[in-house]
Amino acid sequence: MAFFPPLVLPHGQVQPYAVRVSTRARYLRIQISAADGVVVVLPSHYPPEQVGVALAARAAWIEKHLQRLQGQRPQELSATEADPEDLPASLSLAAVGQVWAIRHMRSASLNTARLTAAPASRHLYLSHAPEDRDAPRFLLRRWLKQEGERHLFPLLATLAAETGLHYRNVSLRHQRSRWGSCSSQRSISLNAQLLFLPAPLVRHVLLHELCHLREMNHGPRFWALLGGWDPDTPVHREALRRAAWQYVPVFFRGGS
């Protein structure tokens, strides 16, 4: 039986939790409800030794929602990590070495939600009506996609020139389970959330997709080709297994 470490909240309280393994889960997910308390949902392949790290990173979020539960009836409140109230205060785009602060304003007088970027100060100003709970997710994901096109597309073009592996076109999406893909029509699709990853991992993903232009499989010739351009491929492959929960803010995870 796997050992799971205690969950210690920011104010020192040890919080009990249940663990559920799901064959359908792709990432560690935390659910909180008055009926079931804290439940940690794990993918079947998730390393137990990493659970403590993940819980420590989410301890403040867990404590906040447990405090909300006090005095509530079971049917009145439940929380998952996708709660739109959990807007991050800043975004760290490790791929390009940038940190953007978010200033969030709700106003009943606003008819149209908007996001204004101030590149000089690296601030994002987000405003919307209180009842428009979908606006922050939509606007920030759209902004992230625009930034991805601005930074990732030129990087891919540079790597294509270096390797001589030329694609036909490239697109950017919020993909749920892939960092990138390459079609037989020589079209590459990249995940906008790559911007949250360290630059060496981003380079590895882009090289991976470029190598598929020559080898549309994961056979020995593919890995030999990729290893020639990225000698640290084994290290980067292992790091990518943890990258989603380690680097991507909960607010941005998932597709659509």
Side-chain angles (χ1 to χ4, degrees), residues 117-163:
S121 62
R122 299 268 168 80
H123 277 73
L124 296 173
Y125 297 94
L126 174 65
S127 54
H128 63 97
E131 64 272 13
D132 190 356
R133 293 169 60 86
D134 294 329
R137 179 176 173 87
F138 172 78
L139 291 173
L140 284 170
R141 285 164 73 92
R142 184 175 67 179
W143 174 84
L144 188 71
K145 185 177 177 181
Q146 293 169 344
E147 288 298 294
E149 292 173 351
R150 190 160 71 89
H151 293 289
L152 298 177
F153 286 7
L155 177 57
L156 183 67
T158 297
L159 292 175
E162 291 178 3
T163 60

Side-chain angles (χ1 to χ4, degrees), residues 106-119:
R106 297 182 180 90
S107 174
S109 63
L110 290 173
N111 295 322
T112 303
R114 60 180 177 267
L115 175 67
T116 303

Side-chain angles (χ1 to χ4, degrees), residues 49-113:
E49 65 272 13
Q50 295 294 335
V51 172
V53 178
L55 290 178
R58 295 159 168 82
W61 181 90
I62 295 170
E63 185 174 66
K64 179 178 72 172
H65 284 285
L66 287 172
Q67 290 171 349
R68 289 185 184 182
L69 281 173
Q70 294 179 0
Q72 301 286 341
R73 291 189 297 272
Q75 67 272 22
E76 289 183 329
L77 178 66
S78 64
T80 67
E81 291 185 290
D83 191 325
E85 293 297 321
D86 294 304
L87 182 71
S90 64
L91 300 178
S92 178
L93 308 185
V96 293
Q98 297 180 2
V99 177
W100 291 73
I102 299 176
R103 297 294 179 263
H104 189 201
M105 182 184 74
R106 297 182 180 90
S107 174
S109 63
L110 290 173
N111 295 322
T112 303

Side-chain angles (χ1 to χ4, degrees), residues 156-221:
L156 183 67
T158 297
L159 292 175
E162 291 178 3
T163 60
L165 300 168
H166 299 289
Y167 52 93
R168 179 171 296 170
N169 52 59
V170 58
S171 61
L172 199 73
R173 297 186 295 150
H174 285 278
Q175 296 169 303
R176 183 175 299 276
S177 59
R178 291 185 177 184
W179 295 114
S181 61
C182 179
S183 74
S184 57
Q185 286 75 40
R186 307 183 69 80
S187 296
I188 290 177
S189 177
L190 300 175
N191 192 329
Q193 295 162 24
L194 282 168
L195 285 176
F196 293 116
L197 273 55
L201 291 186
V202 176
R203 181 178 182 272
H204 168 80
V205 170
L206 269 55
L207 286 170
H208 183 116
E209 302 311 329
L210 286 170
C211 287
H212 275 313
L213 295 168
R214 185 171 296 173
E215 297 291 337
M216 290 295 296
N217 54 68
H218 287 119
R221 289 190 301 182

